[in-house]
Amino acid sequence: MTQRDPVWDVVKFLMMLWVVWGHVYSTGMTLMDSAWEPFVSNLKIAVNMPVFFMVSGYLSRRSLSEGGWGKILARSLSLFWPPFAFGVVFAVFIAFSEGWNLRLLAYPLERALVGGWFILTLASLYFASALAFKLAKTERSRWILLILWYLVMIVAPTFKVKQAMHMWPYFTFGLMVMPRWRLDKNAPLSLAFGALLVCTALFEGDTVSNGMNFWCVSSYWQDIVRDGHSIFCFFARSALGLTGSIFVLWLVGWALSRFKWVSSLAVFGTTTLGIYVLHEWVFGHLSVLPCFPLPSAWRMGVAVVSFFAFHFFVWGIRKNTIINFVFFGDEGKVASFADRILARFHH
């Protein structure tokens, strides 16, 4: 696959739409449940975040292989810039609506570093992979360093490292395996993975209590190895995320090869970072409002409308050079500046 094959952006669009749907649900905007709710929820838990991290790993390959430390540092910083920039705006909004206080000064930084687990996890995996790529020049030695990093995360007890631990297999698979994986040549295997995904989602019941939900897995390695069931769930969770993500990527690739119009959806996958940040801020404030009496079937409608509203808002920001710099920075200029600073230290 080429570096920017539309399959990656179409997948990002679909998965971010699913993220927005999930958070519409969590804000309490419905009073009715559907018989299919556990199945859809299981599917979301199984592949939503794993696909994101697998795609992120794949798209990071070029910058990690060819970019210098300046570019790597700039890419890491670019992940934190939008949460902080939008956080400043929301801090001002909160100040006008709820009153000024000193805590607002730390509010944007707190939300960027503590609230955005996805960004913090992605940045940590990207930077750890950068160390592996810069310290080792062969694929085998890189694999060794990445596995050692994984073992360190398993032993470490903190919540944020826990999320990196669970997302490591997907990011690393995308980074190290997907560049050589021909989805179009592995249709039977991908279909088998899809059957496994569907069967698991149908029969596993409630993901909150069945041990397959990475949010509910303990962060301590002693708990992971305490019994056979815990060990099984730990590795089965990663296996399901990997196989399910491969199926989703294959399915989107298959749709692109059969229906050319699907490629037009790729444009909606180019603003997912901004949508992720925006929807967290907005829905985070919606969650304090009274429950909206919306039927279950309306959830996806609310999610779709919200997603496209966020997309066009971010797209509008991107069209204006000054506003785009305020909210998203300039990765190229930051990389050049970092390279000059690093060059001085080197000499």
Side-chain angles (χ1 to χ4, degrees):
M1 291 184 178
T2 58
Q3 179 69 9
R4 292 306 294 190
D5 189 310
V7 67
W8 305 104
D9 287 319
V10 172
V11 168
K12 286 169 61 182
F13 156 62
L14 295 174
M15 293 301 105
M16 182 53 67
L17 179 59
W18 213 350
V19 168
V20 175
W21 169 83
H23 288 166
V24 167
Y25 171 76
S26 66
T27 57
M29 297 181 73
T30 177
L31 295 178
M32 299 175 62
D33 289 322
S34 166
W36 289 95
E37 200 68 59
F39 172 71
V40 176
S41 179
N42 285 356
L43 282 178
K44 185 178 186 300
I45 290 293
V47 298
N48 197 197
M49 286 296 106
V51 169
F52 260 121
F53 279 92
M54 188 178 291
V55 172
S56 298
Y58 176 85
L59 296 179
S60 298
R61 176 83 187 194
R62 177 173 293 181
S63 65
L64 292 176
S65 301
E66 304 173 3
W69 276 111
K71 185 174 183 178
I72 290 171
L73 291 173
R75 177 64 57 86
S76 301
L77 178 62
S78 70
L79 293 172
F80 290 103
W81 191 311
F84 182 78
F86 282 107
V88 171
V89 173
F90 273 87
V92 173
F93 170 78
I94 294 171
F96 275 106
S97 61
E98 300 179 12
W100 296 86
N101 58 67
L102 292 177
R103 186 177 180 278
L104 289 175
L105 297 176
Y107 186 59
L109 184 61
E110 175 191 347
R111 288 300 303 162
L113 294 178
V114 179
W117 78 268
F118 171 81
I119 290 175
L120 186 60
T121 300
L122 182 58
S124 65
L125 291 174
Y126 179 80
F127 198 77
S129 300
L131 290 175
F133 269 67
K134 297 307 176 185
L135 294 174
K137 300 303 180 183
T138 65
E139 290 294 280
R140 178 179 296 179
S141 54
R142 288 169 179 170
W143 269 112
I144 293 173
L145 288 177
L146 288 169
I147 291 173
L148 288 175
W149 167 234
Y150 182 52
L151 295 175
V152 169
M153 286 189 290
I154 291 177
V155 176
T158 65
F159 173 78
K160 297 304 177 184
V161 173
K162 165 189 170 181
Q163 304 311 318
M165 172 187 71
H166 287 292
M167 296 302 136
W168 180 95
Y170 318 124
F171 185 89
T172 302
F173 191 90
L175 177 67
M176 304 295 287
V177 180
M178 286 306 295
R180 299 174 178 81
W181 186 282
R182 292 294 303 273
L183 288 170
D184 55 335
K185 300 297 184 182
N186 290 278
L189 184 61
S190 298
L191 286 170
F193 289 161
L196 173 65
L197 173 66
V198 171
C199 289
T200 304
L202 278 173
F203 299 116
E204 271 300 299
D206 181 8
T207 52
V208 175
S209 60
N210 65 14
M212 293 289 283
N213 187 341
F214 69 85
W215 287 107
C216 303
V217 175
S218 174
S219 59
Y220 293 94
W221 67 270
Q222 293 96 329
D223 293 333
I224 295 172
V225 300
R226 66 187 174 186
D227 55 54
H229 178 71
S230 298
I231 296 174
F232 169 79
C233 287
F234 179 77
F235 288 104
R237 177 71 195 85
S238 296
L240 182 63
L242 287 170
T243 55
S245 298
I246 291 171
F247 169 70
V248 169
L249 289 168
W250 173 85
L251 187 62
V252 172
W254 175 86
L256 282 166
S257 67
R258 297 296 190 279
F259 311 102
K260 299 303 180 184
W261 61 267
V262 176
S263 62
S264 62
L265 300 176
V267 66
F268 299 112
T270 60
T271 56
T272 51
L273 177 60
I275 293 172
Y276 171 79
V277 174
L278 268 177
H279 98 279
E280 278 220 325
W281 286 108
V282 174
F283 287 176
H285 285 79
L286 277 179
S287 64
V288 302
L289 297 178
C291 180
F292 294 97
L294 294 178
S296 180
W298 288 26
R299 292 181 199 168
M300 184 53 75
V302 173
V304 169
V305 172
S306 301
F307 175 91
F308 285 108
F310 293 138
H311 166 77
F312 287 110
F313 184 79
V314 174
W315 177 80
I317 289 176
R318 291 290 197 184
K319 297 291 287 185
N320 185 288
T321 303
I322 297 177
I323 299 178
N324 179 65
F325 175 79
V326 170
F327 285 101
F328 291 96
D330 189 320
E331 190 174 320
K333 291 181 179 179
V334 173
S336 299
F337 176 77
D339 281 331
R340 289 197 297 269
I341 297 298
L342 292 172
R344 290 185 179 181
F345 279 104
H346 181 71
H347 292 304

